[in-house]
């Protein structure tokens, strides 16, 4: 199965780098937690031999359907795709009888088909229903939540997940719109984008160049509605539990909140922040390391020029290790 055979519409970010980071063995078992439109999955399959396997997951039913169509067209028995969130990856692997894997990939955030389809409600540039759920069959849409949340809750979400300094006036404006327009309030992405832009522009001393004033609020609502950070934390833990010794973890993130979680997780699991004996410097009794950090990769200028979405991408890589008798983490 190749990328050309797949449905594209999404330019994979850090493709060569993340595939190299997985150090794919032809007979290995791999888990792509973010199938999207299969850019990374296709590249993994190209490197697998006849006995290799790839399990792919996505929480978006449209992505899973795209994977299903790809499977139908190619009949590739090494590949399976399931509808699941990161927090369900253990159950998904169990359902396939897979105990351990040789590599796990997370390519976080939203795909281009999600962003570019106005009916999904992620984009402030095109008008559509204010939804923002990666899985529209589950949970509350952004609008449903904004219609019932308190002003404080809205401000907290916009401040925490959008790092927006005008979170309080934005929350006040949303609640005022809700009061004035009632049931019909905040129906579309364009309505929210205009409301937020008005608040931000009135307060900004100098307008930001090249950034829509609604960017941070939309990011915040998307992260909140999809519980993206909680999913990531649970998913990283579940992935490491299933990684075989010397198996690789590769995570591509797109903003500092995600990257911080990945960085801190790898630092903790590789002993950088672990408690140590104050005199000998060895790890304190009972501390168990599970990863060795293999570094961070950023996209080159050529990729950013070709694909602006890659601009903020960071790939972090780690390897699963086992403990030696001395208590040091060693790869086996
Ligand atoms: C950036 S896209 C992946 C693109 C893919 N690597 C490709 O080359 O086509 C991220 C995908 O991850 C999915 N996703 C995000 N969070 C998820 C979660 N917690 N569980 C499962 N899938 C998730 C999204 O629905 C989206 O399809």
């Amino acid at each position: 199965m190749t990328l050309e055979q797949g449905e594209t519409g999404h330019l994979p970010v850090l493709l060569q780098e993340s595939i190299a980071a997985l150090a794919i063995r032809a007979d290995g078992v791999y888990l792509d937690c973010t199938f999207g439109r299969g850019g990374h999955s296709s590249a993994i399959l190209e490197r697998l031999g006849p006995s290799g396997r790839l399990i792919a997951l996505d929480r978006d039913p449209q992505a899973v359907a795209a994977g299903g169509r790809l499977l139908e067209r190619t009949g590739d028995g090494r590949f399976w795709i399931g509808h699941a969130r990161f927090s369900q990856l253990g159950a998904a692997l169990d359902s396939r009888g897979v105990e351990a894997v040789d590599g796990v990939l997370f390519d976080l955030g939203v795909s281009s088909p999600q962003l570019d389809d106005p009916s999904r409600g992620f984009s402030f540039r095109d008008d559509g229903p204010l939804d923002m759920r990666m899985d529209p069959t589950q949970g509350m849409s952004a609008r449903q939540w904004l219609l019932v949340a308190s002003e404080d809750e809205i401000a907290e979400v916009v401040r925490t997940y959008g790092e927006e300094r005008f979170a309080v006036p934005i929350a006040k404006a949303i609640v005022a719109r809700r009061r004035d327009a009632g049931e019909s309030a905040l129906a579309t992405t364009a309505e929210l984008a205009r409301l937020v832009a008005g608040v931000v522009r009135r307060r900004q001393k100098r307008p930001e160049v090249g950034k829509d004033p609604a960017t941070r609020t939309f990011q915040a609502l998307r992260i909140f509605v999809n519980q993206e950070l909680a999913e990531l934390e649970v998913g990283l833990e579940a992935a490491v539990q299933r990684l075989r010794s010397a198996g690789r973890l590769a995570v591509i993130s797109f903003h500092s909140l995600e990257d911080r979680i990945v960085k801190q997780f790898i630092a903790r699991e590789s002993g950088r922040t672990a408690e140590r004996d104050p005199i000998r410097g060895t790890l304190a009794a009972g501390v168990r390391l599970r990863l060795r950090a293999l570094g961070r990769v950023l996209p080159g200028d050529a990729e950013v020029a070709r694909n602006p979405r890659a601009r903020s991408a960071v790939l972090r890589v780690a390897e699963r290790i086992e403990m030696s008798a001395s208590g040091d983490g060693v790869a086996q």
Side-chain angles (χ1 to χ4, degrees):
M1 184 155 66
T2 67
L3 188 59
E4 287 70 39
Q5 285 171 298
E7 292 176 39
T8 51
H10 178 91
L11 212 49
V13 169
L14 286 164
L15 180 64
Q16 303 308 331
E17 295 85 346
S18 54
I19 297 302
L22 289 172
I24 293 173
R25 296 169 28 169
D27 61 350
V29 181
Y30 291 86
L31 174 64
D32 178 355
C33 296
T34 49
F35 179 80
R37 287 302 179 273
H40 289 90
S41 276
S42 297
I44 293 172
L45 282 164
E46 278 169 25
R47 283 156 185 82
L48 288 180
S51 60
R53 279 176 85 180
L54 172 66
I55 313 281
L57 307 176
D58 206 294
R59 72 190 299 180
D60 184 341
Q62 291 188 7
V64 178
R69 287 192 292 274
L70 192 60
L71 189 53
E72 245 169 57
R73 263 202 317 282
T74 60
D76 191 334
R78 304 168 305 164
F79 174 62
W80 181 82
I81 182 155
H83 182 215
R85 300 192 302 273
F86 302 159
S87 51
Q88 300 167 315
L89 75 83
L93 290 177
D94 287 344
S95 78
R96 305 306 298 161
V98 173
E99 249 175 58
V101 297
D102 297 285
V104 182
L105 173 71
F106 292 90
D107 174 20
L108 300 171
V110 278
S111 66
S112 301
Q114 287 169 331
L115 268 180
D116 297 345
D117 177 353
S119 76
R120 302 298 303 266
F122 287 104
S123 170
F124 44 78
R125 292 200 186 91
D126 305 299
D127 201 8
L130 186 55
D131 194 312
M132 297 198 195
R133 283 170 296 177
M134 292 183 193
D135 181 354
T137 67
Q138 308 264 324
M140 275 182 159
S141 70
R143 175 173 192 251
Q144 285 168 331
W145 183 72
L146 285 174
L147 290 182
V148 296
S150 71
E151 188 179 303
D152 286 350
E153 285 169 332
I154 297 170
E156 176 70 14
V157 163
V158 173
R159 186 185 311 109
T160 310
Y161 301 132
E163 301 179 294
E164 169 62 73
R165 60 199 170 107
F166 304 122
V168 170
I170 288 171
K172 279 189 193 307
I174 288 172
V175 171
R177 172 65 55 88
R178 213 165 71 182
R179 210 172 33 234
D180 299 343
E183 294 277 287
S184 66
L186 303 165
T188 69
T189 51
E191 182 185 348
L192 179 65
R194 274 196 305 273
L195 186 70
V196 172
V199 174
V200 173
R201 286 206 182 101
R202 275 198 297 281
R203 279 164 179 81
Q204 260 175 348
K205 294 210 174 74
R206 260 178 288 125
E208 282 171 282
V209 184
K211 193 162 193 172
D212 191 292
T215 308
R216 285 179 295 272
T217 300
F218 271 63
Q219 171 186 299
L221 290 173
R222 195 200 86 200
I223 291 175
F224 175 73
V225 161
N226 294 289
Q227 291 293 300
E228 289 179 36
L229 303 185
E231 273 289 321
L232 177 58
E233 280 173 357
V234 177
L236 289 172
E237 171 58 33
V240 169
Q241 281 180 18
R242 294 304 186 112
L243 264 183
R244 249 195 270 284
S245 181
R248 295 285 178 91
L249 172 70
V251 188
I252 304 169
S253 60
F254 289 88
H255 56 75
S256 57
L257 298 172
E258 283 172 347
D259 186 50
R260 196 175 309 147
I261 290 174
V262 181
K263 182 177 161 183
Q264 288 175 353
F265 179 79
I266 293 177
R268 193 170 63 242
E269 296 295 332
S270 60
R272 260 186 239 170
T273 55
E275 207 188 317
R276 290 184 183 269
D277 180 294
I279 296 161
R280 283 178 294 172
T282 51
L283 289 171
V287 174
R288 189 166 169 249
L289 305 185
R290 296 185 296 172
L291 292 177
R292 177 167 56 179
L294 295 182
R296 188 183 77 138
V297 184
L298 303 179
D301 294 343
E303 176 166 8
V304 175
R306 204 171 57 243
N307 183 6
R309 221 178 63 80
R311 202 177 38 230
S312 53
V314 180
L315 165 67
R316 289 191 187 267
V317 188
E319 184 175 57
R320 180 79 161 95
I321 55 172
E322 296 298 338
M323 302 293 286
S324 71
S326 67
D328 293 329
V330 289
Q332 290 188 338

